[in-house]
Amino acid sequence: MSDSTTNDTGPTTTPPAWWTTATVYQIYPRSFADSNGDGVGDLGGIRQRLGHLHDLGVDVIWLSPIYRSPQADNGYDISDYDDVDPLFGTLAEFDALTDEVHALGMKLVMDLVVNHTSDEHPWFVEARSSRDAPKRDWYLWRDPLPTGQGADAAGTPGAGSHPTAWRSAFSGPAWTLDEGTGQYYLHMFASKQPDLNWENPDLRRAVFDMMNRWLDRGVDGFRMDVINHIAKEPTSLAPGASHFVMGGQIHDHLREMHREVFAHRTGRELITVGEMPGVTVDDAKLFTAADRHELDMVFQFEHVGLDHGPASKFDNLPFDLVALKRSLSRWQEGLADQGWNSLYLGNHDQPRSVSRFGDDGRYRFESATLLATVLHLHRGTPYVYQGDEIGMTNAGFTSIEQYRDIESINWFDESVAAGADPEHLLEALRFRSRDNARTPVPWSGGAAAGFGTGTPWIELVANHDTVNVEADRAAGERSVFEHYRRLIALRHESPVVALGSFELLAPDDERLYAFTRTLGDEQLLVLANWSGEAYELDPALHPALRRRSVPQVVIGNVPGGAGLTLAPWEVRVLRS
Ligand code: TEU
């Protein structure tokens, strides 16, 4: 968010927003660095490692939640929006961190989790105390339906008393009966994460006030957790997302938020990104059009859902490059003239990108750098998830005892109870579990990997002796970090990377991801061999491949890469 984006003259005449050249780095605090030896990463650890992020050159740091929380969902269940959880540190340390981040020329973005709170938040404690409690209406309560007219706990309509058949994202029903007051409350996630009622103006006021306090404190914006879920219509018994995402009021709520929180902060360079499972290109155009004053960008989920089968996200389908290209390029085209994309391949909810989309064995360096290059050369704001800058791989857990994630554990338990084969479930988790991306960052070799002196809350990846920050940064031409650093710098220096138009080439090719970026008379040609075998380029693909003079390689991952053959997992960006 900036003065330029809040100008009504439209995108063609306003100067580009500052975040068009920016890269965001996501920290998952409990797994980043532990300064006090309790096995959980903390603010002290982040402060000790800021140099790493400054060297990388990122512009913005997004912190996953550090607020007070019972940690049922690793902090996405907040019991006090105005304090730091003692697990992570203190408010004073937070202020020191903010100052240090700013002194290094970076910005700090907080996670904003306001679709739900913890059931231990004083708001919910009061709300559940009686049907007449003043804050009762801040949450979503419904009477049980006469038995047989509602859904049962398994989500079968007409078999129980649940007000709708909605399922929680973490298994089980989305309604829990509050015994004390005899009504169900809604929770789209864990039962310890009751959903807030955004229809209530006092609740909205309280959220906006809280956001204003953090901005006054110096933070530079928010990543808004499942923000398209805040306007829901719990009136229909039907299952399905259409009734709990993107309710009619969503645009009004976001515009009101903009008015109450951001509009008056002219002169400050702020950023807002809304996490929106299920958002379509057309929705995203509305959410991110500068003149609508809603959000700067959204996290869409289409490309990270392509390998989900019909049964659930744990129903793993093989990776399909053609489908990925088709999806990402539709978003590039859709938001070309209005709105803005955020770009990501991984985060704390997704498997490690090199394990999911690349080859985390023999070609780990090549595929990690290829993925980074393809993503960062798209138009939008790239997000780097901690550890991706050294090519970290999936956790490789083989027993359910190694998992910590509530989603993984609930799904495993529910499926075992329903008769599924535990080995089969473990295989699915090995690929899909959110814990794959939540293992501690290995800063160096050795048993504790430089993460901290205590036993980490979740095991390190077995390959931490070779895949760690120290080793990667010393790897010269084969440093993933160094490649990321160059990509981030390229976006700073090169208007065509930040703003150029996007055109996909060879859309149906099953191994090649090729596209151009064009701005004025400048053009970049990106050629990526998404496979473990050499790839012969067809000179008909692009005129630059037919010229006698060898085009300049702007960035690549195979030294001396030239000619019409791409080595396995080679990526090359040419100035055409
Ligand atoms: O995630 C929302 C979300 O829809 C998924 O990505 C989620 O991780 C889950 O896997 C659905 O299958 C956000 C946060 O990023 C996530 O960590 C939280 O657990 C969730 O909201 C609830 O706050």
Side-chain angles (χ1 to χ4, degrees):
M1 212 154 281
S2 67
D3 292 350
S4 58
T5 61
T6 53
N7 185 324
D8 275 332
T9 52
T12 46
T13 52
T14 46
W18 66 269
W19 31 255
T20 54
T21 61
T23 298
V24 183
Y25 185 96
Q26 181 191 354
I27 291 184
Y28 195 63
R30 58 168 46 236
S31 302
F32 191 66
D34 173 21
S35 69
N36 66 356
D38 66 355
V40 180
D42 48 39
L43 296 182
I46 298 172
R47 292 175 64 196
Q48 287 166 5
R49 298 291 181 179
L50 283 181
H52 176 74
L53 305 182
H54 184 58
D55 292 349
L56 189 57
V58 295
D59 304 274
V60 182
I61 296 171
W62 146 32
L63 285 188
S64 274
I66 52 150
Y67 312 92
R68 254 183 208 275
S69 160
Q71 305 288 326
D73 185 21
N74 290 356
Y76 283 90
D77 50 316
I78 296 169
S79 55
D80 184 349
Y81 288 109
D82 286 292
D83 203 0
V84 171
D85 197 284
L87 196 57
F88 299 122
T90 62
L91 269 176
E93 279 179 283
F94 178 82
D95 289 339
L97 170 67
T98 310
D99 289 346
E100 288 158 5
V101 167
H102 287 162
L104 291 171
M106 298 183 284
K107 297 178 192 295
L108 192 66
V109 160
M110 295 291 269
D111 221 300
L112 179 81
V113 189
V114 290
N115 173 69
H116 46 268
T117 66
S118 164
D119 65 341
E120 297 179 32
H121 194 292
W123 295 348
F124 189 73
V125 173
E126 182 195 316
R128 83 181 325 173
S129 67
S130 100
R131 289 196 186 206
D132 309 319
K135 291 199 174 65
R136 180 75 172 180
D137 185 50
W138 287 27
Y139 293 84
L140 291 150
W141 302 94
R142 290 291 181 276
D143 287 327
L145 292 172
T147 305
Q149 288 183 29
D152 67 2
T156 313
S161 60
H162 287 228
T164 75
W166 297 356
R167 306 279 295 161
S168 146
F170 297 156
S171 302
W175 298 95
T176 289
L177 187 66
D178 175 55
E179 301 286 350
T181 55
Q183 282 189 310
Y184 284 101
Y185 66 89
L186 180 70
H187 54 90
M188 298 314 307
F189 295 90
S191 56
K192 283 187 69 63
Q193 292 167 296
D195 279 43
L196 287 163
N197 176 19
W198 274 72
E199 293 292 291
N200 185 298
D202 297 332
L203 173 270
R204 297 203 301 277
R205 184 75 261 153
V207 169
F208 302 151
D209 287 349
M210 175 271 287
M211 294 174 73
N212 274 312
R213 286 193 294 276
W214 282 103
L215 291 170
D216 291 344
R217 210 173 184 102
V219 309
D220 303 292
F222 298 98
R223 172 271 186 190
M224 304 180 186
D225 195 65
V226 286
I227 201 69
N228 62 335
H229 288 35
I230 60 175
K232 46 188 89 65
E233 290 156 10
T235 47
S236 154
L237 249 187
S242 56
H243 300 280
F244 60 85
V245 303
M246 238 74 83
Q249 299 290 302
I250 181 68
H251 294 286
D252 295 335
H253 292 334
L254 290 174
R255 294 166 95 141
E256 185 185 13
M257 179 191 284
H258 185 275
R259 251 192 340 268
E260 298 297 323
V261 179
F262 300 103
H264 64 281
R265 296 181 187 271
T266 48
R268 272 184 73 181
E269 292 187 332
L270 304 176
I271 183 170
T272 57
V273 50
E275 189 210 26
M276 297 198 170
V279 71
T280 65
V281 176
D282 288 336
D283 299 325
K285 272 169 114 155
L286 298 178
F287 285 123
T288 67
D291 58 358
R292 289 176 54 92
H293 307 300
E294 296 183 23
L295 296 169
D296 293 331
M297 60 195 95
V298 302
F299 288 135
Q300 57 97 359
F301 278 65
E302 208 176 275
H303 64 302
V304 290
L306 295 173
D307 58 1
H308 294 185
S312 80
K313 68 179 272 188
F314 296 102
D315 178 8
N316 297 324
L317 299 181
F319 172 67
D320 176 348
L321 180 64
V322 172
L324 180 75
K325 293 193 289 185
R326 194 177 296 138
S327 170
L328 289 181
S329 61
R330 266 188 44 252
W331 282 84
Q332 291 285 295
E333 283 157 25
L335 300 185
D337 302 319
Q338 181 184 328
W340 189 251
N341 272 294
S342 66
L343 307 170
Y344 74 97
L345 290 176
N347 58 40
H348 65 294
D349 293 332
Q350 302 290 334
R352 282 286 172 190
S353 57
V354 71
S355 301
R356 182 182 194 176
F357 302 111
D359 174 347
D360 64 6
R362 178 169 175 198
Y363 293 113
R364 191 184 60 85
F365 165 77
E366 287 80 0
S367 60
T369 49
L370 174 142
L371 295 172
T373 310
V374 167
L375 190 77
H376 285 238
L377 265 291
H378 277 67
R379 189 172 190 269
T381 299
Y383 286 71
V384 180
Y385 177 60
Q386 70 181 34
D388 280 353
E389 81 279 17
I390 58 162
M392 278 182 75
T393 65
N394 276 351
F397 294 159
T398 51
S399 127
I400 193 65
E401 279 70 45
Q402 293 172 291
Y403 287 93
R404 298 288 176 269
D405 171 28
I406 183 170
E407 178 185 55
S408 301
I409 294 170
N410 286 359
W411 176 76
F412 182 87
D413 289 348
E414 186 178 71
S415 306
V416 169
D421 170 11
E423 282 310 313
H424 185 78
L425 302 174
L426 285 171
E427 192 185 313
L429 288 178
R430 200 139 58 229
F431 181 76
R432 183 71 66 196
S433 170
R434 306 195 297 181
D435 279 342
N436 281 305
R438 297 178 176 185
T439 63
V441 172
W443 293 94
S444 56
F451 174 70
T453 54
T455 306
W457 67 278
I458 188 170
E459 283 175 41
L460 290 149
V461 191
N463 61 16
H464 65 87
D465 246 349
T466 46
V467 182
N468 61 63
V469 173
E470 195 175 74
D472 184 82
R473 292 191 60 173
E477 272 183 351
R478 293 183 65 79
S479 163
V480 181
F481 179 92
E482 184 54 25
H483 192 91
Y484 266 91
R485 199 189 60 70
R486 288 162 60 208
L487 286 170
I488 293 163
L490 188 64
R491 175 169 291 268
H492 289 154
E493 291 152 14
S494 167
V496 65
V497 172
L499 299 170
S501 63
F502 174 97
E503 190 190 350
L504 184 69
L505 306 179
D508 297 323
D509 194 299
E510 289 169 8
R511 292 168 57 211
L512 183 74
Y513 200 141
F515 56 95
T516 56
R517 299 290 310 284
T518 311
L519 188 69
D521 51 14
E522 223 196 319
Q523 186 175 72
L524 299 179
L525 171 62
V526 181
L527 301 167
N529 173 11
W530 207 291
S531 80
E533 286 92 52
Y535 182 95
E536 286 305 313
L537 290 161
D538 178 353
L541 184 72
H542 190 276
L545 301 177
R546 300 194 287 275
R547 266 183 236 125
R548 273 171 198 283
S549 58
V550 182
Q552 183 204 345
V553 179
V554 178
I555 187 168
N557 64 352
V558 172
L564 290 177
T565 308
L566 293 173
W569 293 103
E570 178 174 359
V571 66
R572 227 182 272 166
V573 180
L574 305 175
R575 200 174 297 282
S576 68

